[in-house]
């Protein structure tokens, strides 16, 4: 067991405290995509969650200040891509502000419902957005699965301690 100071000496809740705690939490890495007019948008997310099996639903969080938020705030459908350990550069590209996320070397195609679908992901879904729930400076997006493919091979990409990592045995 790890020793910790008395409860009364712990720091108050702040965004820095939340970030430091969640650096200890390993999370799978996904890229969320949407079409915005004729332009694709997307971002890296580690907040993806399975919500319901019947009907099949997922959720993810997005900051209202994110460059992809205007598109996601209006999108009827989104793409959800589970990245493999071979896709660290792709994850970094979609996480980087101002990056040309859909330019070379990103390989993608227009998928069902006009949603951008990234090539090479371990798995992908196209989902219909059913709600956008306010949550502080973010929105939680709830979406019902329409279609997808979970047949990719490989190991998942993880995010831990502020870095993308491979799963180790």
């Amino acid at each position: 067991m790890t020793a910790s100071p008395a409860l009364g000496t712990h720091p108050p809740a702040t965004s820095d405290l939340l970030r430091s705690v969640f650096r200890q939490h390993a999370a799978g890495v996904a890229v969320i995509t949407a079409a915005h007019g004729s332009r694709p948008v997307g971002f890296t997310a580690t907040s993806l969650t399975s919500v319901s099996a019947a009907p099949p639903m997922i959720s993810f969080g997005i900051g209202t200040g994110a460059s992809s938020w205007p598109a996601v705030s209006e999108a009827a459908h989104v793409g959800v891509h589970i990245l493999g350990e071979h896709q660290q550069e792709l994850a970094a590209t979609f996480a980087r502000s101002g990056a040309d996320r859909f330019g070379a070397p990103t390989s993608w195609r227009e998928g069902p419902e006009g949603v951008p679908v990234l090539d090479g992901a371990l798995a992908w879904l196209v989902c219909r957005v059913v709600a956008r729930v306010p949550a502080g400076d973010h929105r939680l997006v709830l979406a019902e699965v329409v279609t997808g493919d979970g047949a990719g091979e490989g190991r998942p990409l993880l995010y831990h301690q502020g870095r993308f990592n491979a799963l180790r045995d």
Side-chain angles (χ1 to χ4, degrees):
M1 177 176 262
T2 303
S4 62
L7 288 177
T9 63
H10 288 280
T14 63
S15 57
D16 287 340
L17 173 62
L18 184 67
R19 284 186 199 97
S20 73
V21 168
F22 272 85
R23 281 188 197 106
Q24 301 298 336
H25 176 68
V29 180
V31 168
I32 309 297
T33 61
H36 195 232
S38 62
R39 186 171 74 78
V41 300
F43 64 97
T44 299
T46 57
S47 62
L48 181 65
T49 305
S50 172
V51 173
S52 169
M57 294 183 76
I58 59 95
S59 72
F60 61 88
I62 180 172
T64 56
S67 61
S68 296
W69 170 242
V72 173
S73 74
E74 299 173 357
H77 293 85
V78 294
V80 177
H81 307 82
I82 307 300
L83 300 189
E85 63 186 5
H86 63 285
Q87 295 178 299
Q88 289 187 22
E89 241 349 273
L90 183 68
T93 296
F94 275 82
R96 194 170 29 254
S97 181
D100 181 5
R101 297 171 179 164
F102 289 89
T106 302
S107 179
W108 64 281
R109 65 193 182 285
E110 184 177 311
E113 305 296 340
V115 171
V117 174
L118 302 174
D119 295 334
L122 291 184
W124 61 269
L125 299 168
V126 170
C127 303
R128 180 180 61 83
V129 175
V130 296
R132 296 169 185 89
V133 181
D137 61 354
H138 279 61
R139 295 296 180 267
L140 294 178
V141 178
L142 295 170
E144 185 173 355
V145 177
V146 174
T147 190
D149 183 355
E153 292 186 23
R155 298 169 68 129
L157 182 62
L158 299 178
Y159 189 74
H160 180 251
Q161 290 289 343
R163 296 183 350 200
F164 296 114
N165 294 282
L167 185 64
R168 294 181 184 87
D169 289 328

